[in-house]
Structures are given as structure tokens and as C-alpha cells.
Amino acid sequence: MLRAAADFASYPGLHSDDTVRQFLERCPLPKLLGALQSEADVPGMVETVTECLDKIFSSRYGASLLPSYGAFIQAGLLTDSKQIRKLACKAVLHLLDKVETVVLFPLMINCLIEGDEEISAIILDTVKRLAQIPKGAEVIFPKVAAQSSSLPRIRILSLIAKLFTVSSYTASAIRDTNLLSIFEEEIKDTRDMLKTLSALEVLYELVEHPHSNIFLLKTNLLQLIVDIINDSSADSVIRSRAALISGRLLSSVTNLLVAIDKILQNTDEIESALETLGLIGTTSQGAHFLLTNVARHVVKSSFDRQGRGRQLAALHAFGSICGMDRQELDDEAEGNLKRLVYTTAANSPKLTPSAALLSILQQDPDIRIAGYRVISGLVIREWCLREVCLNSEIIRFVTDETTKLGMEARYNCCVAINKALSSSHLLHEASLSGLIGKLNDAVKRGPYLSEREARPVVDTAERF
């Protein structure tokens, strides 16, 4: 049998299903599997048989037999034999559509954590191949998240970094399952400098990937890196590694913004580029980078009625950049934002931010809802609050509009204006007393204007 297995394993390339079926008629699969245990001490037996089995399971016919041998795969993942473990890991690739994969994957993670470097490398490569298949990815990430509380987590971090580079799909899955938070936990644990440094080393590899900035800017990792660099009591080695990570990340962000700036010149891709800028702008750091240059495209497109899809994408991005999902910007970014809004408005037919914002609210419901979101984010600034409050038509929209679509967005905008006024010196201006009362009344009525009945608005053909 050993000679037959050797001849079968030495065949270059894959065997046909017929060839595999004929071979198994001469050397039945149970006998081959049994040889791994009963004759494990025979020189070359394990290596030859595992190579032979690998050829068998790589065929469609051989893979179809695997569900009946789940116990073998499970035992293989628990054995000390490197060859058998490798074979078991490869076998999992052929069980993606089977429930056995869900059961076996935790064992693969255990192999990753507890095995030597060679076995861990095999597991990493196997899991990476699994992640390239959508159904494999669906199995991987929940299980990695469940196993991530194990003590030797540096290999889990290495697995995350390797999976992160597979595709934007797997990077999104890692973000959605909150696996990047493991980096935060390891780095923040200052009691163990070696563990912190190891986590930083893996993070340094991760940020080398081109799309890492898009995902990392939405976590606390960048701020954590900044805190380490600013901490004079931190070990110099850790601070140096943190500085290198920030340099690599910022370099990547700069390259990204340059690339997006070019995309924004292509009308076929401008909407997706604007959406990307919105994702970056959800964090203070991301918004700061955008407001140095690229955000001009967002503001300009927000006030431009030449393309509805582009304007809608720009308004959503603008809302993120100006602060709907995070705290205020620093003084430099705030100055850039104000300058961008006033300059863009002055170069448009509307001339002022107030008139430009009103023109957004006068458009179709989807544009208007996005406009409410932008105003809600902008009015925390005194200059924008004044622009809004001095325009009675804007206030009429946010307090009196009774169309059903977008009532919550309108109400949130009304609340944002009212809240900003309550902490502003504009609150004491006599000319605004009537407006303040109107806002208070609208806030009390709630999003669905409980004292009034919402009525549909019918546009006449003459309007178009």
C-alpha cells in the first residue's frame, strides 16, 4: 500500500475523479487513514500517506467523502503530527458548505495559538484561503471573535492582520465584528511592555495595506497611537514604534486623498469617491485631513444642483465631515471649514451660506433630508447658527414643514438649532425672541408635530 500511495502522491497536478475512485477501490480510504495510526512508526509512512490523502481530497470525488470523516479531521487538528495537522486544515477547505466547518474552526484557532511557528504559519495560510471564499469568511470572523479572549493573543492579532489584507470584504468583516478592538486592548495594557510592543509590531504590518486607513480612521487606534507618542513616561521603544505607525498611516492617508482627488475629476466615479470621503470624515482626524484640501469637492458638490446623485452623496459626506457623528474639530480644521463654506457660497449664484442652505431645503425630499443633516452638524458653530437664524425660510422648514417623509430628520435639525441657541449669546438678541419661541414650540410638539396633522404635498406640473 505504501508503494501505491507514493506513486499516487507523486503524480504532478490533480487526479481526475475516475482515477481517484479507481485508486480508492485498491486502497480504501479507511485503510489509508488507519495507516496513519497503526503504522505511524514506519519511516516515511505519515509523509507519504498524508500527501496521498491531500491528492484525494483535492478532487471533487474525494472531497465528497469528507463529511463522513469529520472525526478524523477533528482528531487530526488535535494531533501532534505536523503533516496530519496540515492535512486536516486543508480538508476543512472542502467542508465550507457543511456544518462540520463551524465545529472544526475553533480547533484550527487552537492550533494557531498552541502550535509551533511552522504549524501556526500553515494555519494562517489555510485560514487566509478560507477568508477568500464568502462562506468561509462567514465562519471565520464570529469564531475568531469568540476565541479572542485566549491569553496568547499575538497570533490572533497576526491572523487578523493577514485576513485584513485579503480583500476590502474581509477588512469590512473584521471591522464589523469589532476585531480591531483587540489591538486597542493589547496596546493599552501598559503592564506588559513586550505585549504592547508585539501588538504595535503587528499593527505596523497591518497599516502597510493600502485600504487600512479607511477602516482604522473609524476606530480609536489612531488616537491611541497619538496618546502613546505624547506620553513622556512611555518607553522610548514603544513611542518610536507608535511614531512609525503614525507615519505609515498618515502617508497612506495622504496617498489615498491624492488618489480620491483624481477620482473626483471623473464624473463616472465621483459618487463613490464622495461616499469614501464621508467615511473618512466620520472621525476628527479624518475630517482634519480632508479639510486641508479634498473637502472642497464635498462642499462644492453639496451646493451644486447639476447632478442629483452627486449632490446627495456630497451632502451625506458633508454631514459626516462637519460633525454629525463625532465631536468638534480643532481650531485649524474649524477655520478651514468656515472658509470653505463661505468661499463656495460666494462663488455660487446664492452668494451666502444662508441662501445656499435654503436652496438645499427647497429641493426634493431626499436632498432636503440630507440638508437637514448638514445643518444639524453645522449649527454648533456660531457663524453658521447666525446664518440659519437670520433666514426665516430655513426656520420655517425646520419648524413648520408637515410632509411625512423626513419628519425625524427635520425634527433632529430643529432640536440641534434650539440646543445651539441655548448656549449661544444669540439667545439674548431681542430680534430673535420670536424665532426662539417658535423653535421651543416645535421641539415640544415632537418629530411628528402632534398638534397638527401631517399632510402630503402635491407638486403641480407647472412647477417642473
Side-chain angles (χ1 to χ4, degrees), residues 104-340:
L104 295 172
F105 191 77
L107 296 179
M108 296 181 68
I109 297 299
N110 289 336
C111 290
L112 173 70
I113 294 172
E114 299 171 1
D116 60 21
E117 291 186 7
E118 185 176 354
I119 287 293
S120 296
I122 294 170
I123 298 289
L124 284 174
D125 289 337
T126 303
V127 174
K128 184 175 179 179
R129 287 181 61 192
L130 276 170
Q132 293 171 335
I133 305 171
K135 289 190 176 182
E138 291 173 9
V139 172
I140 286 173
F141 298 110
K143 294 298 179 180
V144 172
Q147 296 287 323
S148 62
S149 60
S150 305
L151 290 178
R153 300 214 291 187
I154 189 62
R155 287 181 177 174
I156 290 291
L157 296 183
S158 297
L159 173 61
I160 293 171
K162 185 174 285 288
L163 294 176
F164 196 87
T165 64
V166 170
S167 67
S168 58
Y169 171 83
T170 58
S172 297
I174 288 170
R175 178 199 61 196
D176 295 342
T177 48
N178 203 32
L179 288 173
L180 291 176
S181 65
I182 301 177
F183 281 96
E184 296 179 30
E185 295 168 8
E186 295 292 282
I187 293 171
K188 281 194 285 191
D189 188 0
T190 56
R191 296 170 299 176
D192 189 335
M193 189 185 85
L194 181 59
K195 183 166 70 172
T196 300
L197 185 59
S198 297
L200 288 172
E201 291 287 349
V202 179
L203 182 61
Y204 182 69
E205 296 175 9
L206 189 150
V207 298
E208 185 177 15
H209 198 271
H211 62 232
S212 63
N213 44 72
I214 297 176
F215 298 94
L216 295 183
L217 285 172
K218 297 195 71 173
T219 70
N220 296 322
L221 278 169
L222 183 56
Q223 185 58 54
L224 184 57
I225 295 301
V226 172
D227 292 341
I228 291 175
I229 295 172
N230 289 331
D231 184 3
S232 58
S233 64
D235 187 273
S236 61
V237 176
I238 291 179
R239 292 177 68 190
S240 297
R241 178 53 64 185
L244 288 172
I245 291 172
S246 67
R248 177 170 281 184
L249 185 58
L250 297 183
S251 173
S252 182
V253 170
T254 301
N255 292 336
L256 172 71
L257 296 184
V258 171
I260 291 177
D261 195 43
K262 293 179 181 177
I263 291 176
L264 289 168
Q265 315 304 320
N266 185 339
T267 55
D268 293 334
E269 302 175 6
I270 190 170
E271 291 180 26
S272 60
L274 288 168
E275 183 179 354
T276 300
L277 294 180
L279 289 173
I280 297 173
T282 55
T283 66
S284 298
Q285 294 91 348
H288 178 86
F289 290 127
L290 296 179
L291 287 167
T292 58
N293 188 14
V294 183
R296 72 186 189 280
H297 295 292
V298 176
V299 180
K300 181 179 179 181
S301 295
S302 295
F303 295 151
D304 188 352
R305 301 179 66 167
Q306 297 302 311
R308 181 185 179 280
R310 179 175 64 182
Q311 185 180 18
L312 188 59
L315 285 169
H316 282 291
F318 193 11
S320 297
I321 293 170
C322 67
M324 276 301 299
D325 307 309
R326 52 160 172 70
Q327 298 178 345
E328 296 181 33
L329 301 167
D330 58 30
D331 290 343
E332 180 184 358
E334 286 287 355
N336 289 338
L337 175 61
K338 180 180 179 180
R339 186 160 46 252
L340 269 176

Side-chain angles (χ1 to χ4, degrees), residues 363-393:
Q363 296 180 58
D364 67 71
D366 288 337
I367 295 290
R368 187 161 61 251
I369 290 170
Y372 284 139
R373 186 170 178 267
V374 169
I375 294 173
S376 299
L378 281 175
V379 290
I380 61 173
R381 286 100 182 159
E382 183 92 1
W383 56 267
C384 186
L385 181 62
R386 179 176 292 277
E387 291 280 347
V388 168
C389 289
L390 293 180
N391 192 313
S392 60
E393 279 297 293

Side-chain angles (χ1 to χ4, degrees), residues 352-415:
T352 66
S354 177
L357 291 171
L358 175 60
S359 71
I360 293 171
L361 300 184
Q362 292 171 332
Q363 296 180 58
D364 67 71
D366 288 337
I367 295 290
R368 187 161 61 251
I369 290 170
Y372 284 139
R373 186 170 178 267
V374 169
I375 294 173
S376 299
L378 281 175
V379 290
I380 61 173
R381 286 100 182 159
E382 183 92 1
W383 56 267
C384 186
L385 181 62
R386 179 176 292 277
E387 291 280 347
V388 168
C389 289
L390 293 180
N391 192 313
S392 60
E393 279 297 293
I394 292 179
I395 300 302
R396 182 185 67 79
F397 268 101
V398 299
T399 58
D400 293 339
E401 183 188 5
T402 54
T403 52
K404 290 184 178 180
L405 187 62
M407 294 289 271
E408 290 188 9
R410 176 208 61 78
Y411 178 71
N412 291 337
C413 185
C414 184
V415 170

